[in-house]
Amino acid sequence: MAQVPVQTIHRDPQLFYWILFPITIVMILTGVLRHYATVLMASAPKKQDRKTLREQRALLHGINVRSNYHVLSKSSFSARRDALITAYETGSYLKDPDNRGQPPPNPMSDPSAMEGMMGMMKNQMAMIIPNTLIMSWINAFFSGYVIMKLPFPLTIKFKSMLQAGVATRDMDPRWMSSISWYFLCIFGLQSVFNFLLGSENAANQMAQQMTQMGPQGAGQMFGPGVDPNKQFLAEAENLAVIEHYSVLDGVEQRLLEGIKV
Amino acid sequence: MPSEKELQISPIVQESVVHNSRTLYNLQTLAASLFGVSAGILGLESYSGFVFYLVFSLLTTVLFYALRVAPASLASGKPALDTSRYFRGSYEFWAGGLMNGLAGFILTWTLFYGLVRA
């Protein structure tokens, strides 16, 4: 079988200086810029009035008692449980006790809820706008150049992705155009950002999307449209069904077993 | 798997677990980029490049275990190659680095291969 000769393409070395380095540097700087834009645009936590805060803390108190009951002695746990359940059921921690039993207000009409959505919108924008700009910038200036050769072979399927803008039928798919270098940068620059900005940076949109998929904890709990009275009642029920034991139960036995020779 | 009661007697602090795996992740991504640089300068192609990456990232993990994890872990009576003192899953510790660093490796490999062998 005839060996297919290795394609060589003579490229101007100036391509590196005028295409490869600009794209890489722009990608890195955009990541840095995005990180600092996210830091600057992060709205400071809103000051809440005393009643709202009391409502939230009371619920958290209940949850903490429920998940850490094993470090309390029996008497102190039941004292806490009785106090919390009574308070929850009478609704004495509620922000406005007169509204009990009424349906929660429409989240769209609540101004504080709108602010949260604005924050999400801002984050989305900070991701989308730079990407669109850089894509169109690369397309406008650098489309149609073949700049590099991948060090590993690929199947023909990758040709349309890697050689976008270079309509040559017989070229090896290992050759890549400037737009594919851009995609490679998007995926691979996370380590550079980790190195430059510390590991909790917001530079890479891929990592951000990962975290958005993750569990949404405390933010959702006090969100708009959630009836605090119902949460209190549910929490009271959770507390009521706990069968208490302490980690100190039988600790003498365990200690003696531990020091037995 | 320890029972609920054992976990309550000696609890696992979530922040520390997150910090440990984050440290490992940072090491792996950075090391993978540097391996990409060296693979590109050596001019490795296709399989030999990936084998290079595989060998060296496993070597990094083994070194990490031997230098950072093993002293305290063995002293506390864990068997050898057991990472449960600091990490949740052993799979995440031993094989997670391959996935985490691959994108960075390919990026720098391609870049330096292109620069050196242009």
Side-chain angles (χ1 to χ4, degrees):
Chain A
M1 222 171 83
Q3 196 75 11
V4 181
V6 180
Q7 282 182 353
T8 48
I9 297 179
H10 290 286
R11 287 154 296 153
D12 193 342
Q14 295 287 315
L15 284 178
F16 282 133
Y17 303 121
W18 294 103
I19 296 180
L20 192 65
F21 290 133
I23 291 178
T24 317
I25 290 169
V26 163
M27 288 297 292
I28 292 175
L29 289 185
T30 330
V32 174
L33 188 70
R34 185 185 288 129
H35 172 68
Y36 284 112
T38 324
V39 169
L40 288 178
M41 284 200 314
S43 42
K46 206 155 50 75
K47 220 173 175 179
Q48 282 165 322
D49 56 20
R50 200 156 48 96
K51 291 272 178 84
T52 322
L53 212 55
R54 187 182 66 172
E55 187 180 84
Q56 296 180 356
R57 295 299 133 178
L59 190 60
L60 281 183
H61 183 193
I63 292 172
N64 281 337
V65 168
R66 171 161 56 93
S67 50
N68 293 314
Y69 66 93
H70 48 85
V71 298
L72 294 170
S73 67
K74 182 138 194 140
S75 58
S76 66
F77 173 71
S78 43
R80 279 173 174 77
R81 169 158 73 181
D82 293 343
L84 280 173
I85 289 180
T86 332
Y88 285 162
E89 279 170 355
T90 55
S92 56
Y93 288 141
L94 283 176
K95 182 166 55 174
D96 30 18
D98 311 331
N99 274 0
R100 280 185 82 182
Q102 283 172 13
N106 184 3
M108 293 310 267
S109 64
D110 193 2
S112 63
M114 284 306 282
E115 225 155 86
M117 279 178 217
M118 279 301 284
M120 257 195 282
M121 283 280 285
K122 264 195 278 186
N123 270 342
Q124 290 286 331
M125 280 315 199
M127 277 195 269
I128 293 169
I129 290 179
N131 276 350
T132 339
L133 280 181
I134 295 176
M135 274 279 268
S136 53
W137 171 68
I138 291 177
N139 261 333
F141 283 91
F142 305 131
S143 72
Y145 289 106
V146 170
I147 53 172
M148 277 223 279
K149 194 180 173 190
L150 282 176
F152 46 90
L154 286 172
T155 54
I156 202 81
K157 296 255 184 198
F158 286 93
K159 198 171 156 66
S160 59
M161 189 181 88
L162 286 176
Q163 295 175 1
V166 187
T168 317
R169 210 146 44 83
D170 292 333
M171 201 158 59
D172 193 333
R174 284 174 68 177
W175 295 98
M176 49 189 268
S177 65
S178 44
I179 196 82
S180 51
W181 176 247
Y182 163 77
F183 283 120
L184 216 56
C185 279
I186 286 186
F187 290 111
L189 277 181
Q190 180 61 41
S191 56
V192 179
F193 295 139
N194 272 349
F195 184 62
L196 287 178
L197 302 171
S199 54
E200 265 136 34
N201 64 68
N204 198 319
Q205 66 272 28
M206 301 302 288
Q208 274 193 351
Q209 277 160 11
M210 296 288 188
T211 50
Q212 276 174 8
M213 305 278 173
Q216 304 209 328
Q220 211 70 335
M221 223 165 69
F222 306 116
V226 182
D227 187 3
N229 188 34
K230 269 187 199 138
Q231 284 180 307
F232 276 156
L233 290 182
E235 193 55 42
E237 206 165 295
N238 284 339
L239 278 173
V241 298
I242 285 178
E243 196 176 332
H244 179 264
Y245 64 86
S246 166
V247 277
L248 293 181
D249 289 343
V251 66
E252 307 92 339
Q253 203 64 40
R254 287 206 304 272
L255 180 68
L256 286 180
E257 270 169 24
I259 61 177
K260 207 160 28 180
V261 187
Chain B
M1 209 51 204
S3 73
E4 191 185 0
K5 186 148 185 184
E6 278 168 43
L7 272 182
Q8 286 168 350
I9 290 169
S10 45
I12 293 176
V13 183
Q14 203 58 42
E15 284 83 11
S16 308
V17 174
V18 169
H19 175 260
N20 284 348
S21 34
R22 192 162 273 285
T23 312
L24 185 66
Y25 174 78
N26 283 348
L27 172 78
Q28 280 162 344
T29 47
L30 195 61
S33 303
L34 297 179
F35 296 150
V37 174
S38 39
I41 292 175
L42 290 175
L44 301 177
E45 285 190 35
S46 61
Y47 280 125
S48 54
F50 285 112
V51 168
F52 179 88
Y53 173 64
L54 194 77
V55 167
F56 274 86
S57 67
L58 283 181
L59 183 71
T60 318
T61 317
V62 169
L63 279 180
F64 188 81
Y65 174 77
L67 296 180
R68 309 295 303 181
V69 179
S73 169
L74 289 181
S76 71
K78 305 258 183 200
L81 299 187
D82 182 26
T83 56
S84 59
R85 188 176 159 86
Y86 295 108
F87 293 93
R88 263 293 168 70
S90 55
Y91 175 78
E92 177 203 7
F93 181 82
W94 294 108
L98 294 179
M99 284 288 97
N100 290 338
L102 191 61
F105 173 75
I106 288 181
L107 179 88
T108 48
W109 184 22
T110 314
L111 177 63
F112 278 83
Y113 181 84
L115 287 178
V116 174
R117 306 271 151 156

